[in-house]
């Protein structure tokens, strides 16, 4: 029998499910974590909290598989699927280590940078990324970091979405997919670059 693990990196918790090939839930687990709001309109999380939650929930799934009450085994797991919050920004170095807390999708600190960018290159963004830049977009968070925390910005090698950082932790590769990238305001939707 083939099984798949599905992991959702949510805003308040990570939820992990073990599914059969027919979509039947075999086991599930969830771990909560905290949001931090250091200033009005700011919303951050420690990316390491996500990783710990992923490890904890997978461990619970594995424990269920190894119990006498489950007819399946770990060798039946054939894949892992990820979903999660979009438009966050995990600023990492070349080794994938976070350089600061992740700035989440609901953070509003970058309104000034959005207004300036829309005034200067709004037509370009609308034509290529199909966006009017607003604080939800990952690009807004990058622009804020460049202006307000340049000492961190100069150390950034990659800006990852939350689930993409978890993908890196699981596989060692820096990747995203077009659905998430399409709402960052960083993807040229015409060329998919």
């Amino acid at each position: 029998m083939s099984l798949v693990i599905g992991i959702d990196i949510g805003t308040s918790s990570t939820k992990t499910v073990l599914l059969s090939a027919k979509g039947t839930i075999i086991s599930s687990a969830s771990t909560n974590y905290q949001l931090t709001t250091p200033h009005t309109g700011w919303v951050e999380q420690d990316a390491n909290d996500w990783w710990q939650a992923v490890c904890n929930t997978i461990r619970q799934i594995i424990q269920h598989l190894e119990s006498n009450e489950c007819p399946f085994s770990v060798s039946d797991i054939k894949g892992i699927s990820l979903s999660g919050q979009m438009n966050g920004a995990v600023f990492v170095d070349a080794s994938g280590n976070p350089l600061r807390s992740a700035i989440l999708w609901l953070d509003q600190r970058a309104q000034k940078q959005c207004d300036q960018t829309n005034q200067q290159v709004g037509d370009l963004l609308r034509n290529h990324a199909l966006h009017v830049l607003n604080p939800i977009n990952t690009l807004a968070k990058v622009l804020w970091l460049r202006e307000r925390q340049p000492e961190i910005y100069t150390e950034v090698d990659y800006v990852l979405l939350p689930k993409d950082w978890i993908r890196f932790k699981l596989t060692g590769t820096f990747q995203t997919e077009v659905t998430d990238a399409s709402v960052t305001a960083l993807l040229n939707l015409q060329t998919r670059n």
Side-chain angles (χ1 to χ4, degrees):
M1 160 87 38
S2 294
L3 303 175
V4 176
I5 292 178
I7 303 169
D8 178 50
I9 313 305
T11 305
S12 60
S13 68
T14 286
K15 295 160 281 306
T16 300
V17 296
L18 181 66
L19 300 168
S20 72
K22 293 183 178 182
T24 304
I25 296 175
I26 307 301
S27 181
S28 65
S30 179
T31 298
N32 295 332
Y33 33 73
Q34 297 296 313
L35 294 171
T36 58
T37 54
H39 303 284
T40 302
W42 293 27
V43 185
E44 301 180 353
Q45 279 178 328
D46 182 342
N48 290 302
D49 289 346
W50 303 329
W51 178 239
Q52 289 304 313
V54 167
C55 292
N56 290 339
T57 57
I58 289 176
R59 192 174 296 112
Q60 291 176 53
I61 296 292
I62 299 301
Q63 287 171 350
H64 177 75
L65 279 174
E66 293 173 342
S67 72
N68 290 334
E69 55 194 66
C70 186
F72 307 106
S73 70
V74 174
S75 64
D76 292 324
I77 299 172
K78 304 303 180 194
I80 296 176
S81 177
L82 298 171
S83 67
Q85 52 179 296
M86 298 171 77
N87 276 310
V90 185
F91 301 100
V92 301
D93 63 18
S95 298
N97 299 311
L99 298 168
R100 68 171 324 281
S101 294
I103 302 174
L104 298 193
W105 61 273
L106 61 167
D107 189 282
Q108 296 296 306
R109 75 183 77 186
Q111 187 62 56
K112 175 184 152 203
Q113 289 78 16
C114 292
D115 293 343
Q116 291 170 340
T117 302
N118 284 323
Q119 185 176 27
Q120 294 169 356
V121 293
D123 289 342
L124 180 68
L125 279 171
R126 283 186 292 282
N127 289 335
H128 293 287
L130 305 180
H131 277 279
V132 173
L133 190 62
N134 68 68
I136 196 172
N137 301 117
T138 305
L139 174 58
K141 295 157 181 59
V142 173
L143 296 173
W144 179 90
L145 188 75
R146 183 180 68 180
E147 181 179 320
R148 300 296 302 274
Q149 295 181 341
E151 69 287 353
I152 296 174
Y153 180 81
T154 60
E155 299 297 317
V156 173
D157 284 284
Y158 300 96
V159 180
L160 303 173
L161 301 175
K163 81 173 183 190
D164 297 334
W165 187 73
I166 294 300
R167 179 184 294 111
F168 165 76
K169 293 291 285 180
L170 290 168
T171 67
T173 61
F174 296 106
Q175 297 179 350
T176 193
E177 50 87 24
V178 71
T179 305
D180 284 339
S182 70
V183 295
T184 63
L186 293 161
L187 178 69
N188 181 327
L189 287 166
Q190 314 297 330
T191 63
R192 294 203 173 190
N193 291 323

